Amino acid sequence: MANQIQMIDLKGQYLKIKDEVDAGIQAVIDDTAFINGPAVKQFSEHLSRYMDGRYVTTCANGTDALQIALMALGLRPGDEVIVPAFTYVASAEVIALLGLTPVMVDVDYGTFNVTVENVKKGLSSKTKAIIPVHLFGQSCDMEPILEFAKEHGLYIIEDNAQAMGAEYSFSDGRKAKTGAMGTIGCTSFFPTKNLGCYGDGGAIFTEDEELAERIHMVANHGQRVKYHHDVIGCNSRLDSIQAAILDVKLKHLDEYCAARHKAAAYYTERFKAFDPEGKYFITPEEMPESTHVYHQYTLKIKDGKRDGLKAHLAQSGIPSMIYYPLPLQEQTAFKHITRAAEALENSRACAYSVLSLPIHTEMTREIQDRVIAAVESFFA
């Protein structure tokens, strides 16, 4: 149906840049350099400029990016890595996969992100790294986390899969892109991300040239020179066609982020007018230190009515998603291999109350009004 509401309108977005994307794909086909071709180099250079001059290594997906980052830092089995309990599984999965210990810490109920107070509770003599996840589109409060990490000699690996394009402001006025503040930054180019390709892909960022070389080696079978393997690595590559698509979309990323923020502002304005006291739900909180690029627009539904609202929206032809229905500490895979640093009450509360509404670059007021009307009719 032409008027069917979608969580994200990839087709509509593509049609606006179709000529550029099609030309980029055709150039790769004509060149036949499908792996590590000129398109990958060009995109990497442009992405480096966008990411405050960081060295860039592209890879096959966001999960690989996180795994490669941990491998490049030389962490060993038994080392502990602090990670939020309320996040997508990949952030913790790669820790366990490498024989490291995920240490679950809670998140701030308002922003969904870890704070330095949460991180402090996870610290032990075995702690080697922190993975702050910039969830749903805005930065964690990074300045105190960076100071804490420096004080204790810890690596910071930013999971920036949901916040590409967001910017953090330091107390001295400096600004930095999310993913360009820690030891290493990682992102995903899954199609639904703010900067997404038409398949899968990822990237890793660092300002340390020596570390960047090691990251590149790990992603390329541990080799600097072909058939000469200096470290144990893996095989994780962004193909040239995806790089060509991403290079086009990178030019539009800031306008995409602005469109998402505009749509989110309209949602919030309307919802607060309907429910000014927050009786039924809580709208997303924006931090003063960070811009918000709204990878998701996520409400917290009160009084156990989340699932009822989701069913009501579905009956009204409105999609919605629950990110994430079970916090990591309650996942079977993690119950016996993690250390929980605190009660994780906020993570549990978020998991059982969050509901994300449609938001994307092609949102119109007509679409949003339909979504808003359906939400309000449930509580009326």
Side-chain angles (χ1 to χ4, degrees):
M1 296 172 57
N3 63 347
Q4 183 177 0
I5 295 178
Q6 303 172 67
M7 284 296 291
I8 180 168
D9 184 6
L10 294 177
K11 182 67 174 291
Q13 186 187 74
Y14 162 68
L15 291 174
K16 289 185 176 179
I17 55 173
K18 182 179 186 302
D19 291 345
E20 294 176 88
V21 169
D22 290 357
I25 293 172
Q26 190 60 55
V28 172
I29 294 172
D30 291 342
D31 191 50
T32 67
F34 299 114
I35 301 295
N36 287 329
V40 176
K41 181 179 180 181
Q42 177 174 287
F43 170 62
S44 298
E45 290 173 352
H46 292 163
L47 186 58
S48 174
R49 288 180 212 158
Y50 187 84
M51 293 299 295
D52 299 338
R54 293 306 192 261
Y55 295 99
V56 172
T57 297
T58 55
C59 60
N61 55 68
T63 305
D64 279 6
L66 290 164
Q67 179 179 324
I68 291 163
L70 289 170
M71 292 172 70
L73 292 173
L75 304 189
R76 295 289 181 263
D79 290 344
E80 293 184 350
V81 180
I82 295 171
V83 65
F86 186 67
T87 183
Y88 183 58
V89 66
S91 310
E93 183 178 42
V94 294
I95 301 170
L97 187 65
L98 295 174
L100 312 173
T101 301
V103 177
M104 304 290 182
V105 298
D106 213 354
V107 296
D108 177 74
Y109 185 68
T111 66
F112 305 107
N113 283 335
V114 293
T115 66
V116 71
E117 288 76 19
N118 300 131
V119 169
K120 287 176 179 178
K121 294 175 183 178
L123 183 68
S124 79
S125 60
K126 297 180 180 180
T127 307
K128 295 296 188 293
I130 308 163
I131 300 183
V133 181
H134 305 308
L135 203 69
F136 296 156
Q138 72 178 329
S139 179
C140 299
D141 189 3
M142 287 299 293
E143 186 167 6
I145 293 175
L146 289 164
E147 291 172 354
F148 179 80
K150 183 177 181 180
E151 178 184 352
H152 294 278
L154 307 177
Y155 299 117
I156 289 185
I157 303 167
E158 294 176 75
D159 185 336
N160 196 38
Q162 297 189 16
M164 278 294 293
E167 191 173 64
Y168 179 83
S169 296
F170 289 85
S171 58
D172 63 2
R174 290 182 299 121
K175 296 181 184 295
K177 289 287 197 308
T178 50
M181 292 179 279
T183 315
I184 299 175
C186 300
T187 198
S188 164
F189 299 130
F190 189 78
T192 58
K193 302 301 184 189
N194 288 30
L195 179 61
C197 55
Y198 295 164
D200 215 338
I204 309 155
F205 318 108
T206 185
E207 64 176 349
D208 185 322
E209 184 176 9
E210 185 177 336
L211 180 56
E213 184 178 5
R214 187 172 180 86
I215 289 168
H216 189 74
M217 276 199 304
V218 170
N220 188 32
H221 293 294
Q223 59 188 356
R224 283 191 181 90
V225 179
K226 196 172 180 66
Y227 302 127
H228 294 265
H229 307 276
D230 299 326
V231 298
I232 298 298
C234 59
N235 177 30
S236 187
R237 299 179 291 212
L238 179 71
D239 74 71
S240 299
I241 287 177
Q242 301 306 330
I245 294 164
L246 288 164
D247 201 40
V248 172
K249 295 184 75 174
L250 179 61
K251 293 183 289 186
H252 299 276
L253 179 56
D254 287 344
E255 69 183 72
Y256 290 163
C257 292
R260 286 174 172 270
H261 192 274
K262 182 179 179 181
Y266 184 65
Y267 271 143
T268 297
E269 176 188 352
R270 290 285 306 276
F271 286 139
K272 285 191 172 180
F274 171 75
D275 185 21
E277 303 300 323
K279 177 181 178 182
Y280 303 120
F281 48 75
I282 302 172
T283 55
E285 179 179 322
E286 293 190 14
M287 292 172 47
E289 299 88 356
S290 175
T291 59
H292 202 317
V293 297
Y294 282 99
H295 175 63
Q296 302 295 341
Y297 184 88
T298 304
L299 298 174
K300 289 187 283 285
I301 312 302
K302 293 187 173 182
D303 300 326
K305 295 183 178 180
R306 190 266 309 277
D307 293 348
L309 174 58
K310 181 173 174 57
H312 173 76
L313 292 176
Q315 290 173 357
S316 304
I318 310 293
S320 61
M321 292 292 292
I322 299 171
Y323 305 107
Y324 303 94
L326 199 62
L328 292 182
Q329 78 271 18
E330 295 182 16
Q331 299 282 355
T332 301
F334 290 99
K335 284 182 178 179
H336 304 295
I337 62 170
T338 64
R339 180 168 71 82
E342 48 185 320
L344 307 176
E345 293 175 358
N346 288 342
S347 296
R348 184 174 291 106
C350 288
Y352 292 109
S353 66
V354 292
L355 189 68
S356 295
L357 302 180
I359 191 165
H360 51 77
T361 59
E362 311 309 305
M363 294 293 285
T364 64
R365 287 290 170 89
E366 179 186 4
I367 291 173
Q368 287 193 271
D369 286 342
R370 288 174 58 190
V371 175
I372 292 164
V375 172
E376 293 179 352
S377 68
F378 176 76
F379 294 104

